[in-house]
Amino acid sequence: MILLRRLLGDVLRRQRQRQGRTLREVSSSARVSLGYLSEVERGQKEASSELLAAICDALDLRMSELLREVSDELALAELAQSAASDTVSLPAGRGLADRPMLNPVRVPSVTHRPDDHVTIKAPSEAVDVVAA
């Protein structure tokens, strides 16, 4: 199961570390307890929109940028989850002909690691997004 709070926490931690800042610095600037910020970064606590806004302000990060990065990671995690479920063994006595057809998804590179995580390398070319 993909947990949004874990993805949010991962992105917040990466942003903080990219800036070379400590939990203490960001928690002080955001006026959030150090322990609570740590739990948010580890995906153990659901952050309210007010708390996310305070953390984003402390990191000088627009919330839309945070949510865009989380959205990209969520899309990759969903692809990985879908790719992993496509490789599940069929029960004895069922052949490929009995399996429902799925829409093919082109995944540039999928790597299975022993800890049941799937890594997907995103394509390097730009993707145009058109609003409907």
Side-chain angles (χ1 to χ4, degrees):
M1 174 188 303
I2 302 166
L3 295 178
L4 187 58
R5 69 175 185 253
R6 286 195 182 147
L7 294 174
L8 272 166
D10 289 344
V11 172
L12 287 170
R13 180 184 302 110
R14 267 198 316 274
Q15 288 290 336
R16 177 180 59 78
Q17 289 174 340
R18 282 180 194 147
Q19 295 177 15
R21 297 179 63 194
T22 65
L23 271 170
R24 185 172 310 282
E25 291 170 340
V26 175
S27 70
S28 175
S29 182
R31 298 177 191 219
V32 176
S33 77
L34 183 126
Y36 196 81
L37 179 58
S38 175
E39 288 179 311
V40 168
E41 282 192 359
R42 289 181 282 139
Q44 295 176 335
K45 294 286 184 186
E46 290 278 354
S48 67
S49 57
E50 291 87 357
L51 180 66
L52 284 175
I55 296 168
C56 285
D57 285 345
L59 292 170
D60 196 29
L61 172 70
R62 290 189 308 203
M63 194 175 306
S64 60
E65 293 172 14
L66 169 70
L67 295 176
R68 186 176 304 113
E69 192 170 338
V70 169
S71 176
D72 291 346
E73 289 199 13
L74 178 59
L76 287 174
E78 288 172 336
L79 275 174
Q81 195 173 53
S82 175
S85 67
D86 286 347
T87 62
V88 174
S89 300
L90 294 173
R94 289 194 62 196
L96 286 177
D98 299 324
R99 221 175 143 189
M101 291 299 289
L102 301 174
N103 291 332
V105 176
R106 293 188 190 275
V107 179
S109 175
V110 177
T111 307
H112 290 276
R113 297 184 314 198
D115 56 359
D116 290 339
H117 289 338
V118 176
T119 302
I120 296 179
K121 293 181 182 174
S124 58
E125 68 271 2
V127 176
D128 292 327
V129 177
V130 179

